[in-house]
Amino acid sequence: DDCGERLKGGSPTAGLMWSHTFSDRLASRAGLYYSYNVSSVRFSTRYWDWDDGMDYYMCAEESDRSGIHGIRAAADFDWEPAAVHHIRFGASWEHHAYLPDRSLRQWEEFGKQKKEVFNQAVGSSYYGEEPSVYIEDEMTLLPGLTANAGVRAALFLVKGKAYVLPEPRF
């Protein structure tokens, strides 16, 4: 068993997107996306002592790993009903899976013998859904002066509870 610290991570993603133009004034994009973010931290240490003419080691290791899966479906639209308005709107649904786990281990090494003292692993899983909708209007107020106003509303559903997240934008 080697001692020390180790930090690993990664985030592979994949996606499919489809674009369609309905007219000169209306276009859309639809997509399906998958992401996985993982991080792993391991710390181990070894304490040395001399007992009855033999090397004695007390060893300990802690390992923490977190994984977050995300699957998202989305549809976005661009609409220009008039020369002074560019409206964007859309909706999405995202599924989140958070999978943390932790292990703690302790062992003794005396000569060539190894004795497990403590070994415990704990894993959990949390799942959530996040539907959202948005609309915004990029308006030309005067030549050279534009404003962008809108709102996004998200709902986060986890463990039987719902959290509403309104996000006004200007």
Side-chain angles (χ1 to χ4, degrees):
D1 294 276
D2 59 336
C3 290
E5 298 84 29
R6 184 177 65 204
L7 175 64
K8 287 181 164 183
S11 57
T13 60
L16 296 171
M17 190 180 342
W18 175 71
S19 298
H20 181 71
T21 302
F22 294 99
S23 69
D24 290 343
R25 296 180 180 255
L26 181 63
S28 70
R29 289 171 309 285
L32 185 60
Y33 311 94
Y34 171 78
S35 65
Y36 178 60
N37 297 298
V38 64
S39 66
S40 174
V41 177
R42 181 178 151 253
F43 173 77
S44 59
T45 188
R46 175 181 271 180
Y47 302 99
W48 174 81
D49 198 358
W50 182 266
D51 191 5
D52 290 335
M54 297 181 81
D55 286 335
Y56 170 80
Y57 295 96
M58 175 58 78
C59 305
E61 177 179 86
E62 178 179 337
S63 179
D64 295 293
R65 179 182 165 98
S66 294
I68 303 172
H69 293 270
I71 299 172
R72 181 175 188 257
D76 301 295
F77 295 87
D78 283 309
W79 179 40
E80 293 188 49
V84 295
H85 290 280
H86 182 175
I87 298 173
R88 294 176 198 86
F89 61 96
S92 68
W93 185 283
E94 189 162 1
H95 171 75
H96 304 281
Y98 177 54
L99 310 166
D101 64 51
R102 172 182 236 180
S103 66
L104 302 169
R105 191 175 135 214
Q106 189 174 9
W107 68 97
E108 298 174 329
E109 295 176 3
F110 190 75
K112 294 189 183 266
Q113 295 181 348
K114 203 183 245 192
K115 179 184 171 192
E116 193 83 20
V117 176
F118 180 80
N119 193 348
Q120 180 183 27
V122 178
S124 306
S125 57
Y126 304 95
Y127 301 95
E129 306 298 325
E130 185 180 356
S132 67
V133 294
Y134 76 94
I135 186 166
E136 63 181 46
D137 186 1
E138 184 178 323
M139 304 164 268
T140 302
L141 303 174
L142 298 169
L145 179 63
T146 61
N148 190 331
V151 66
R152 178 180 183 267
L155 186 63
F156 194 70
L157 307 165
V158 63
K159 290 187 172 185
K161 294 183 180 178
Y163 303 91
V164 178
L165 306 165
E167 300 172 3
R169 298 174 180 190
F170 184 76

